C-alpha cells in the first residue's frame, strides 16, 4: 500500500518513501496517521528514528528520518500490524496479520518434539499438539499416471470425474478427458469443493468458481479467517488456508498446462493423513492399501462422480407416473389398506 500524497503530520507533507525533517522533539516515536489524496482513508504507520541533533539556546533541534510503513491489520486497541506480524491475545493464542487485513489467531499448544519426516500440528478445537506427517504429495500426469501420497504408482483410464482426496470439509476431484475416443485418457481439470462452492483450474489456464470464469488472482476470505486463492504462478494453483484448523496451508492443487490436458499435483497437510479418501490413497504410510478394491478400476468406480460427460442415470420408472394424480390416489389406497379392519 502506497501513501502517495496528502499525509499531513504537524502540517508537514510526508513523501511516499523516506525524507529528513527538522523538528523540535526530544526522542524517537511511532504514530499512525490517515492519508488523503490518491490513498484517501488509508492508514499508515510512521517509524521515526533519531539520526543526529544539536543544542541551541531554546531546544534540541534534531534530524529525524521518517519511513512510511504499510499497515495491513488493526487490532482492537488501534495498533497497526504489517502482514506476517503477530501478537499474543488474552487467550494466549498467537494472532498473525493476514494478507487480507484480518488476524488469524492460533492456539500454539504445548511443546512437542517431532521425528524426521513429521511436523508439529495443533488442533485448534482442542489446543492439543501432536506430530503429523510432512505435507503429502499426489500427482496425476500424462495419460494419466497416478502417484499416491504413499508412493504407489498406477494408471487409470476412466473418462469421468473422480475424487482424488478429502479432509474434513473439503474435497478434491480430478476430471479426466477423452481426447482420442478411446483409452488412454488425460486429466483436464482439477476441482476443490469447499463451503458449498466449486473452485476449478483447467487446461488453457481456465480458472472458474461455480462454473463462471474469474479474474486472477482470485481471493475469497471467510469470516473465520479461512482463505482460498486461485493464482497464476506460471501454472494455475488453488491454495486453501485453514487457520481455523491450524492448517496453513491445508491444500495446494497445481495444474501445469500441457496443451490439451494438465499435469495435476496435490499437496495435502499432514493432519489429513489417514483421513483422506480418493484415488490419491489414504496417506497412512502403506502404499499397499491405497486402492479401494485392490485395483485402479475398482477404486475409480468407487470414487466416480457424475459430470457433463458422465451424467447420472435417469430416475427409475414408477407406474404412478403414467396415471393422473396417481401418487395421491395410490397413497389413499395404501391408507385404506393399513386401516381397520386390515
Amino acid at each position: 500500500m502506497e501513501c502517495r500524497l496528502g499525509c499531513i503530520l504537524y502540517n508537514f507533507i510526508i513523501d511516499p518513501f523516506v525524507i529528513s525533517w527538522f523538528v523540535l522533539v526530544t526522542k524517537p516515536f511511532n504514530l499512525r496517521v490517515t492519508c488523503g489524496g490518491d490513498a484517501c482513508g488509508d492508514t499508515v504507520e510512521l517509524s521515526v528514528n533519531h539520526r543526529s541533533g544539536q543544542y541551541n539556546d531554546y531546544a534540541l533541534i534534531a534530524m529525524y528520518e521518517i519511513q512510511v510503513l504499510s499497515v495491513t491489520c488493526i487490532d482492537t486497541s488501534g495498533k497497526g500490524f504489517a502482514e506476517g506480524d503477530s501478537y499474543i491475545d488474552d487467550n494466549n493464542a498467537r494472532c498473525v496479520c493476514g494478507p487480507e487485513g484480518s488476524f488469524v489467531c492460533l492456539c500454539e499448544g504445548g511443546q512437542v518434539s517431532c521425528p524426521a519426516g513429521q511436523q508439529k500440528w495443533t488442533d485448534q478445537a482442542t489446543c492439543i499438539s501432536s506430530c503429523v506427517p510432512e505435507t503429502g504429495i499426489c500427482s496425476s500426469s500424462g495419460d494419466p499416471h497416478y502417484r499416491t501420497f504413499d508412493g504407489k504408482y498406477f494408471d487409470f483410464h476412466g473418462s469421468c470425474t473422480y475424487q482424488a482426496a478429502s479432509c474434513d470439509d473439503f474435497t478434491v476431484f480430478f476430471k479426466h478427458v477423452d481426447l482420442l475416443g478411446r483409452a488412454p485418457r488425460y486429466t483436464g481439470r482439477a476441482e476443490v469443493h469447499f463451503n458449498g462452492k466449486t473452485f476449478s483450474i483447467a487446461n488453457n489456464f481456465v480458472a472458474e468458481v461455480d462454473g463462471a470464469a474469474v479474474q486472477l488472482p482470485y481471493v475469497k476470505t471467510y469470516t473465520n479467517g479461512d482463505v482460498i486463492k486461485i493464482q497464476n504462478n506460471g501454472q494455475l494453483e488453488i491454495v486453501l488456508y485453514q487457520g481455523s484448523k491450524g492448517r496453513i496451508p491445508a491444500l495446494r492443487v497445481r495444474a501445469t498446462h500441457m496443451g490439451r490436458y494438465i499435469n495435476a499435483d496435490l499437496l495435502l497437510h499432514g493432519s489429513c493423513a489417514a483421513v483422506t479418501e480418493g484415488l490419491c490413497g489414504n496417506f497412512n504410510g502403506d502404499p499397499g492399501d491405497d486402492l479401494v478394491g485392490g485395483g485402479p478400476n475398482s477404486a475409480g468406480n468407487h470414487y466416480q462422480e457424475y459430470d457433463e460427460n458422465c451424467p447420472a442415470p435417469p430416475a427409475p420408472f414408477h407406474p404412478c407416473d403414467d396415471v393422473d394424480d396417481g401418487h395421491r390416489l395410490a397413497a389413499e389406497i395404501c391408507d385404506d389398506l393399513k386401516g381397520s379392519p386390515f
Side-chain angles (χ1 to χ4, degrees):
M1 185 270 294
E2 289 185 358
C3 181
R4 298 182 180 278
L5 292 173
C7 284
I8 299 178
L9 174 63
Y10 301 146
N11 297 320
F12 287 85
I13 301 297
I14 297 173
D15 195 75
F17 304 104
V18 177
I19 67 170
S20 295
W21 172 39
F22 285 90
V23 289
L24 296 176
V25 291
T26 58
K27 62 181 180 180
F29 60 93
N30 290 288
L31 53 87
R32 290 172 50 247
V33 298
T34 299
C35 301
D38 292 343
C40 184
D42 286 343
T43 299
V44 299
E45 185 163 301
L46 306 181
S47 177
V48 185
N49 299 306
H50 179 260
R51 294 192 59 185
S52 65
Q54 62 183 15
Y55 285 97
N56 64 10
D57 292 338
Y58 301 99
L60 171 66
I61 301 177
M63 185 173 73
Y64 281 76
E65 187 177 74
I66 312 298
Q67 173 70 59
V68 178
L69 305 172
S70 64
V71 170
T72 303
C73 307
I74 307 296
D75 70 6
T76 54
S77 68
K79 182 179 179 181
F81 289 78
E83 181 182 345
D85 288 348
S86 65
Y87 71 94
I88 304 298
D89 70 5
D90 294 337
N91 297 318
N92 204 34
R94 180 172 296 279
C95 297
V96 181
C97 175
E100 305 308 315
S102 60
F103 287 101
V104 176
C105 298
L106 301 178
C107 177
E108 297 192 315
Q111 294 292 328
V112 174
S113 179
C114 296
Q118 296 196 337
Q119 61 180 324
K120 175 186 174 181
W121 173 66
T122 301
D123 187 333
Q124 296 302 301
T126 63
C127 204
I128 296 176
S129 298
S130 61
C131 294
V132 299
E134 295 284 358
T135 299
I137 302 175
C138 171
S139 63
S140 171
S141 60
D143 55 350
H145 313 293
Y146 276 83
R147 183 186 186 277
T148 69
F149 296 121
D150 293 329
K152 183 177 183 62
Y153 290 90
F154 67 93
D155 294 344
F156 174 59
H157 301 300
S159 57
C160 299
T161 296
Y162 303 91
Q163 180 172 315
S166 63
C167 187
D168 295 342
D169 51 0
F170 65 83
T171 309
V172 182
F173 296 90
F174 290 163
K175 162 64 179 170
H176 288 192
V177 291
D178 188 348
L179 301 180
L180 306 174
R182 55 171 175 78
R185 273 85 186 200
Y186 300 81
T187 303
R189 184 174 70 229
E191 299 177 353
V192 175
H193 294 200
F194 178 64
N195 268 9
K197 302 185 78 66
T198 299
F199 307 86
S200 66
I201 49 179
N203 64 307
N204 291 322
F205 296 93
V206 175
E208 296 180 334
V209 176
D210 289 339
V214 293
Q215 184 176 355
L216 302 183
Y218 170 92
V219 180
K220 182 172 179 59
T221 303
Y222 295 87
T223 55
N224 65 353
D226 290 353
V227 177
I228 191 164
K229 295 182 177 182
I230 307 178
Q231 54 199 14
N232 185 346
N233 297 321
Q235 56 187 4
L236 291 184
E237 182 179 55
I238 303 173
V239 188
L240 174 61
Y241 299 91
Q242 282 192 300
S244 63
K245 299 182 182 296
R247 299 169 180 152
I248 305 178
L251 173 75
R252 291 182 184 271
V253 180
R254 295 172 179 159
T256 302
H257 177 61
M258 303 299 293
R260 300 176 67 191
Y261 65 94
I262 62 172
N263 287 341
D265 295 295
L266 194 166
L267 288 75
L268 188 66
H269 193 275
S271 61
C272 298
V275 176
T276 180
E277 297 182 50
L279 290 181
C280 286
N282 54 22
F283 197 2
N284 68 349
D286 178 10
D289 63 359
D290 276 347
L291 299 179
V292 173
N297 290 335
S298 59
N301 290 334
H302 182 80
Y303 290 117
Q304 177 184 324
E305 296 289 317
Y306 300 122
D307 61 20
E308 63 270 29
N309 296 325
C310 297
F317 171 75
H318 195 289
C320 290
D321 292 341
D322 290 339
V323 179
D324 291 341
D325 207 15
H327 290 275
R328 183 186 63 80
L329 294 174
E332 290 179 353
I333 295 173
C334 287
D335 289 341
D336 290 340
L337 291 175
K338 290 187 291 186
S340 177
F342 301 103

